[in-house]
Amino acid sequence: MSITDYCRRTAAFTREIMQQPATAKKDLRFSDLGFFLRFARPIWSLGVLALVATALVAAAKAVLPLSIKFFIDNILLGETPAPDTLIAGAGGLLSSLNILIAALLVLGFFTGGMDLLRNYWTARFREGYAFNLQTTLVEHVLSFPLSYFKSQQTGYIMSRLSDDVQILQYTVSQYLPQIASNALYVAFTFAILCFLNLRLTLVAVAFIPLYLLVNAVFIRRIRAATHRERERQAYVSRDLQEVISGIDTVKTHAAEDREVHRVSGTLKNMVDARIKNTMLSAFAEYFRVGTMSLMLIAVFWFGGNEVLAGAMTVGDFVAFAIYIVTFAPTVNTFFAFPVVMQPALTSAARLRELFRIPGEAGTGGGGGIVPAAVQGRIEFSGVRFGYTESEPVLSDVNFIARPGEVVAVVGRTGAGKTTLINLILRAFAPQEGTITLDNHDLASLDPRWLRRQISIVSQDLFLFYTTIEENIRYSRPEATFEDVVEAARKAQIHDDIVRFPEGYGTIVGERGTQLSVGQRQRIAIARAFLKDAPILILDEPTSALDMQTEDQIRRTLRLLVRDRTTILVSHRPSLLELADRVLTIEGGRARECRGANTTDTPGTDRTSLFGRSTVS
């Protein structure tokens, strides 16, 4: 590529990043800032202590350069200050070198000690704020309906929960203390500069509008660029999580190169966004540094003329120059604050967006009915549901599952069997019709209470990276060890467990990979036994098992379904023997399969089995 091509690409890149962004719908509103202050309320006293310590340190640092004036004018040149100002009066007290050195030592010890306290209180405040924020955020996200988690990838959600909180935490720990310290230092220094030379101070102040202009030009552009960067970073986390989670599939299909290419494409988009954001910040910093340099040049020119004209002492000018040398970068940092805060404001806006997503009705401690008892009668009446309005998966579904009855649901792949289960769990809400439990509309029930009444044994079971005991107990945390063992015996997994060296304390590995498929399935069944819920959902519980293991689990399931309302999704004929009735999902409708196997099952009344059906 020629030099001309590089120049053209650079010019095009500059025009692109300097384009005025469209109004961002996710910008943080001023009213939202009050929302984030709520997380500081429990620890407000630490914040006040940190702020007071910051003020004292800033004041001590602002006074320190005055010692140069006293050293030159009062000690070296031996001038006698006229006691007409506060600074001149202080100069009279510090006209002795010994006294000045002693005062500097006292000031140094005070500043160092107070700075240690400031760091301690700031750290306590920072960590307390992050803890309150993240705890509340996780609690809120876990209250989202299941449909949210089914529509978002895990890596994307994790990025929203961790990356944005970390950026906001970094802001609270670094930028906010820094801006508070700088603001106080600027205020104290400005007051001292006015005492030293008001005219020269006004010369420095004249450059502040230039800082404001730089901010006005770059703030919205940096905010938009930061939002693009955050979103693309979340996509990278999403893709990486998906690849790692599916590493077995990637390896068996020798798809490493394809996945690297896919992830690299997402990474490239993030890198491009990051470069644009970096260059915008660099442009803003370039103009701020230029403004600071012009300020310093103007102060040296006007101040030098003041000294030459005898209107300003050498000590005053040296002290003023030292103040300006430290004051100008501080002002630069102070006015850069709105720009460098854009990543934090973007993260705060993204977090506020999460907080605006409503949780399920009733998960906040109210708003949902909690019946006193459960009989287990489930009824679908005219239920219609589709993931898109134009393509319904289920349409006009009507059926009743009576207390203690086992209803099998069959149908081709994609017919809507899993959708039907998700509707019972309130992962989604029907677009038409109603689903009731004991004549209570599911939409009116507390969703957490509802799910406590349901046990699930699924083909896609999940085990946590903890012990076998804790995985079984997950369905009923208050259960005793004896209860866990009893559930394992009923699930016919106890003998397998005790053969492990660590027994019930065996770590099952990531998603239970240290166990066989059959063992994992029986642990899921043990969970269901332990939970002892009145409603049971079996979703292809033996689809991945061999015939011998399936026969063992079928005998276990025969015991598990007894006296429970059970919805069984399976194509295995051996499992359909457990059913009182078999429903077929076809064309979005549920109809009774008249040719169903009706082999007697202990404890099941088969009288008038099909004649009492209410299936459409």
Side-chain angles (χ1 to χ4, degrees):
M1 185 179 294
S2 65
I3 294 177
T4 303
D5 291 334
Y6 276 118
C7 291
R8 287 175 180 170
R9 290 186 63 178
T10 301
F13 176 79
T14 303
R15 284 195 302 270
E16 181 182 356
I17 65 174
M18 290 303 296
Q19 286 179 351
Q20 182 73 3
T23 302
K25 295 180 180 179
K26 299 177 182 178
D27 278 355
L28 193 69
R29 296 191 296 264
F30 183 78
S31 59
D32 293 330
L33 298 178
F35 172 83
F36 284 98
L37 287 176
R38 62 187 286 192
F39 304 111
R41 288 173 189 163
I43 51 173
W44 67 269
S45 58
L46 286 171
V48 171
L49 289 172
L51 187 61
V52 170
T54 299
L56 293 174
V57 170
K61 290 181 178 179
V63 169
L64 187 60
L66 276 178
S67 61
I68 301 296
K69 167 187 166 52
F70 302 142
F71 180 74
I72 293 175
D73 287 345
N74 298 16
I75 297 174
L76 293 184
L77 299 181
E79 296 181 1
T80 302
D84 54 350
T85 65
L86 180 62
I87 292 179
L93 294 174
L94 300 174
S95 56
S96 167
L97 180 59
N98 292 335
I99 294 177
L100 179 62
I101 295 301
L104 288 175
L105 286 173
V106 171
L107 185 63
F109 280 117
F110 173 80
T111 305
M114 192 56 61
D115 203 32
L116 287 174
L117 288 174
R118 178 185 65 85
N119 285 327
Y120 172 72
W121 288 327
T122 300
R124 290 288 302 274
F125 180 82
R126 173 192 69 213
E127 298 304 326
Y129 183 89
F131 174 82
N132 294 338
L133 171 61
Q134 196 150 28
T135 301
T136 306
L137 178 63
V138 170
E139 180 182 12
H140 180 69
V141 169
L142 290 180
S143 75
F144 289 174
L146 283 169
S147 57
Y148 176 85
F149 298 98
K150 291 179 180 295
S151 64
Q152 300 287 347
Q153 290 177 290
T154 303
Y156 180 81
I157 298 174
M158 290 302 299
S159 175
R160 298 290 298 269
L161 286 175
S162 60
D163 294 349
D164 289 327
V165 172
Q166 287 174 3
I167 291 169
L168 205 59
Q169 181 183 13
Y170 181 79
T171 300
V172 171
S173 65
Q174 300 294 329
Y175 287 150
L176 291 184
Q178 182 183 23
I179 197 61
S181 178
N182 286 347
L184 291 168
Y185 181 80
V186 167
F188 292 136
T189 301
F190 180 75
I192 294 172
L193 290 176
C194 288
F195 276 115
L196 289 174
N197 192 306
L198 180 59
R199 181 182 171 186
L200 205 54
T201 303
L202 294 177
V203 170
V205 171
F207 286 87
I208 288 179
L210 285 178
Y211 283 107
L212 299 177
L213 178 62
V214 172
N215 287 348
V217 170
F218 286 98
I219 279 179
R220 292 187 64 241
R221 291 174 172 83
I222 291 177
R223 183 181 305 165
T226 302
H227 188 272
R228 287 194 300 270
E229 180 188 338
R230 292 286 176 271
E231 281 294 301
R232 291 175 183 179
Q233 185 174 341
Y235 296 154
V236 171
S237 298
R238 174 199 65 189
D239 290 351
L240 286 174
Q241 187 274 335
E242 187 173 46
V243 171
I244 299 301
S245 297
I247 192 64
D248 290 342
T249 304
V250 173
K251 290 287 187 182
T252 54
H253 287 79
E256 292 92 340
D257 291 342
R258 275 183 288 158
E259 293 302 331
V260 168
H261 179 73
R262 180 166 71 97
V263 172
S264 68
T266 312
L267 275 170
K268 185 179 183 302
N269 290 333
M270 185 195 72
V271 169
D272 289 343
R274 187 169 288 174
I275 290 173
K276 292 175 182 178
N277 198 1
T278 300
M279 291 311 299
L280 275 171
S281 299
F283 273 119
E285 182 65 15
Y286 171 79
F287 285 110
R288 282 195 303 270
V289 170
T291 301
M292 181 184 72
S293 300
L294 289 175
M295 178 195 295
L296 291 173
I297 291 171
V299 166
F300 286 159
W301 191 81
F302 281 101
N305 283 316
E306 290 273 307
V307 173
L308 293 175
M312 192 175 189
T313 68
V314 174
D316 283 344
F317 177 74
V318 172
F320 197 98
I322 292 175
Y323 273 115
I324 285 297
V325 168
T326 57
F327 177 75
T330 304
V331 169
N332 183 38
T333 303
F334 181 77
F335 282 103
F337 179 70
V339 175
V340 299
M341 273 292 291
Q342 294 314 302
L345 292 176
T346 299
S347 293
R350 283 158 54 84
L351 290 174
R352 189 68 181 101
E353 180 189 1
L354 282 179
F355 277 113
R356 287 197 183 99
I357 297 175
E360 292 178 301
T363 56
I369 297 173
V370 179
V374 178
Q375 299 301 317
R377 184 180 188 275
I378 301 172
E379 180 175 2
F380 279 61
S381 301
V383 171
R384 179 185 183 278
F385 175 80
Y387 297 99
T388 61
E389 286 288 339
S390 59
E391 298 181 7
V393 177
L394 300 175
S395 56
D396 195 27
V397 173
N398 298 273
F399 76 88
I400 296 175
R402 293 178 174 82
E405 191 174 37
V406 180
V407 178
V409 181
V410 299
R412 62 177 177 79
T413 301
K417 305 184 296 297
T418 300
T419 299
L420 184 143
I421 290 173
N422 284 331
L423 289 173
I424 296 175
L425 291 169
R426 272 190 62 181
F428 303 98
Q431 285 137 3
E432 293 180 11
T434 59
I435 306 171
T436 62
L437 172 61
D438 297 340
N439 297 319
H440 295 289
D441 191 334
L442 293 192
S444 67
L445 297 175
D446 184 305
R448 292 185 182 176
W449 175 88
L450 170 66
R451 291 166 193 148
R452 291 189 188 106
Q453 315 311 312
I454 302 174
S455 294
I456 301 177
V457 179
S458 167
Q459 60 178 331
D460 188 25
L461 62 99
F462 185 92
L463 297 183
F464 292 92
Y465 192 96
T466 184
T467 64
I468 293 175
E469 179 186 350
E470 290 303 315
N471 269 289
I472 296 176
R473 185 183 277 119
Y474 195 78
S475 62
R476 207 177 92 209
E478 72 280 4
T480 65
F481 177 72
E482 289 73 20
D483 294 332
V484 171
V485 172
E486 178 63 23
R489 290 184 186 278
K490 290 179 179 178
Q492 300 183 27
I493 187 63
H494 172 75
D495 291 341
D496 286 22
I497 295 173
V498 296
R499 279 196 289 266
F500 290 121
E502 301 296 328
Y504 281 85
T506 301
I507 301 294
V508 302
E510 184 78 17
R511 299 181 66 91
T513 53
Q514 300 300 315
L515 307 177
S516 70
V517 174
Q519 288 169 335
R520 295 201 298 268
Q521 204 73 298
R522 279 176 284 171
I523 285 178
I525 295 173
R527 278 181 181 173
F529 272 115
L530 185 63
K531 190 173 185 179
D532 195 25
I535 300 170
L536 175 66
I537 293 176
L538 302 174
D539 184 11
E540 298 284 8
T542 62
S543 61
L545 304 180
D546 58 74
M547 297 301 294
Q548 181 179 358
T549 306
E550 179 186 337
D551 187 59
Q552 293 176 344
I553 289 182
R554 180 171 57 85
R555 293 196 299 269
T556 303
L557 293 177
R558 191 183 296 276
L559 177 63
L560 180 61
V561 301
R562 187 175 297 169
D563 300 325
R564 306 178 201 276
T565 303
T566 303
I567 305 295
L568 167 64
V569 175
S570 179
H571 291 97
R572 299 289 183 100
S574 59
L575 283 188
L576 295 182
E577 294 177 2
L578 300 174
D580 296 316
R581 292 186 288 125
V582 179
L583 306 180
T584 299
I585 304 292
E586 186 175 355
R589 296 175 181 270
R591 65 179 180 83
E592 189 167 285
C593 183
R594 298 288 176 175
N597 189 329
T598 59
T599 302
D600 287 345
T601 302
T604 303
D605 182 7
R606 304 284 179 175
T607 306
S608 303
L609 187 60
F610 296 120
R612 61 186 182 180
S613 172
T614 60
V615 181
S616 298

